[in-house]
């Protein structure tokens, strides 16, 4: 699997960090990463996918949401609408032809009026439950699950958010996941692993599917 060219350092909104992959012409996809601890676990997979798509002439934008990654904003000062506004800002200035969302990122893709490709989308309630389980397993305070301090304006809307789907949505899941999907693939659920883990075979399968979807 070709990894393609390295990323460009970009920014959006009020100086939030974003990586750009691939050409500035042709299909342009906005990548919405998983939320919270799943973001770090899937980063290698997502970057491999973005670089593989770049090698096929498909551009990708990979923003860090405010309060995550390289952002200087404190997560406990942010609300759900701040994240939705950030998604809109990340797409500004580019002819976004679709979104790629991973896990909880799919809860935000409806901020963009475009076709959506999703890997293993899940509900906000499920994400918060996973954080609380992680806190209990580690002996940390359930009020700050996995070390995250969430403002009520973020946690309350997240708890009731779920993914919908329409004829412009393509959902991909692992074969171990029996929820509705347009395609099932073999792979490691890297978002469940305690440490970041690569799965080059899964990345290759997903690159093939996304490239076919993006070119239609």
């Amino acid at each position: 699997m070709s990894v393609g060219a390295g990323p460009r350092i970009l920014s959006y909104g009020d100086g939030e960090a974003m990586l750009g992959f691939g050409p500035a012409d042709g299909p342009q996809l906005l990548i919405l990463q998983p939320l919270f601890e799943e973001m770090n676990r899937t980063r290698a997979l997502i970057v491999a996918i973005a670089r593989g798509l770049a090698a096929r002439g498909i551009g990708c934008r990979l923003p860090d949401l405010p309060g995550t990654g390289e952002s200087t904003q404190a997560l406990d000062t942010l609300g759900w609408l701040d994240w939705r506004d950030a998604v809109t800002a990340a797409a500004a200035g580019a002819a976004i032809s679709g979104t790629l969302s991973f896990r909880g990122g799919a809860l935000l893709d409806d901020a963009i009026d475009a076709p959506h490709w999703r890997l293993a989308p899940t509900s906000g309630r499920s994400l918060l439950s996973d954080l609380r389980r992680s806190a209990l397993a580690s002996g940390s305070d359930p009020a700050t699950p996995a070390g995250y301090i969430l403002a009520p304006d973020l946690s309350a809307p997240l708890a009731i958010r779920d993914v919908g789907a329409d004829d412009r949505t393509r959902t991909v899941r692992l074969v171990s996941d029996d929820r509705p999907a347009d395609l099932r693939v073999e792979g490691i659920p890297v978002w469940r692993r305690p440490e970041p883990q690569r799965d080059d075979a899964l990345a290759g399968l997903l690159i093939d599917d996304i490239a076919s979807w993006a070119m239609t």
Side-chain angles (χ1 to χ4, degrees), residues 49 98-102 109 115-119 168-172 206 209-210 213:
I49 290 170
T99 66
L100 307 181
S101 60
F102 297 79
D109 64 10
H116 306 304
W117 182 98
R118 297 168 172 169
L119 177 65
R168 296 200 300 169
T169 302
R170 179 169 178 79
T171 299
V172 179
L206 298 180
D209 189 63
I210 295 166
W213 170 81

Side-chain angles (χ1 to χ4, degrees), residues 64-135:
D64 284 343
L65 291 176
T68 74
E70 299 298 319
S71 175
T72 59
Q73 295 196 56
L75 182 60
D76 61 0
T77 67
L78 299 168
W80 185 252
L81 293 181
D82 294 313
W83 274 2
R84 286 184 60 84
D85 289 346
V87 170
T88 302
I96 297 298
S97 52
T99 66
L100 307 181
S101 60
F102 297 79
R103 299 285 292 159
L107 299 170
L108 290 158
D109 64 10
D110 63 349
I112 303 298
D113 182 16
H116 306 304
W117 182 98
R118 297 168 172 169
L119 177 65
T122 191
S123 68
R125 180 179 179 181
S126 177
L127 289 175
L128 291 172
S129 294
D130 286 346
L131 286 179
R132 294 187 186 102
R133 280 195 292 271
S134 294

Side-chain angles (χ1 to χ4, degrees), residues 40-211:
N40 292 330
R41 296 170 181 171
T42 58
R43 185 76 173 193
L45 174 67
I46 292 172
V47 169
I49 290 170
R51 295 182 69 178
L53 292 171
R56 301 193 187 193
I58 298 171
C60 295
R61 288 185 165 202
L62 176 58
D64 284 343
L65 291 176
T68 74
E70 299 298 319
S71 175
T72 59
Q73 295 196 56
L75 182 60
D76 61 0
T77 67
L78 299 168
W80 185 252
L81 293 181
D82 294 313
W83 274 2
R84 286 184 60 84
D85 289 346
V87 170
T88 302
I96 297 298
S97 52
T99 66
L100 307 181
S101 60
F102 297 79
R103 299 285 292 159
L107 299 170
L108 290 158
D109 64 10
D110 63 349
I112 303 298
D113 182 16
H116 306 304
W117 182 98
R118 297 168 172 169
L119 177 65
T122 191
S123 68
R125 180 179 179 181
S126 177
L127 289 175
L128 291 172
S129 294
D130 286 346
L131 286 179
R132 294 187 186 102
R133 280 195 292 271
S134 294
L136 290 172
S138 65
S140 59
D141 184 356
T144 58
Y148 295 98
I149 302 175
L150 308 182
D153 285 348
L154 180 57
S155 60
L158 178 59
I160 60 173
R161 291 288 297 179
D162 205 348
V163 290
D166 57 26
D167 58 3
R168 296 200 300 169
T169 302
R170 179 169 178 79
T171 299
V172 179
R173 296 188 183 277
L174 301 185
V175 294
S176 56
D177 187 342
D178 62 1
R179 287 172 291 181
D182 298 296
L183 175 69
R184 299 185 191 281
V185 295
E186 294 280 357
I188 300 169
V190 294
W191 51 89
R192 297 289 188 195
R193 295 297 189 256
E195 299 293 336
Q197 182 173 349
R198 293 175 60 105
D199 187 339
D200 290 340
L202 176 59
L205 291 171
L206 298 180
I207 290 166
D208 287 343
D209 189 63
I210 295 166

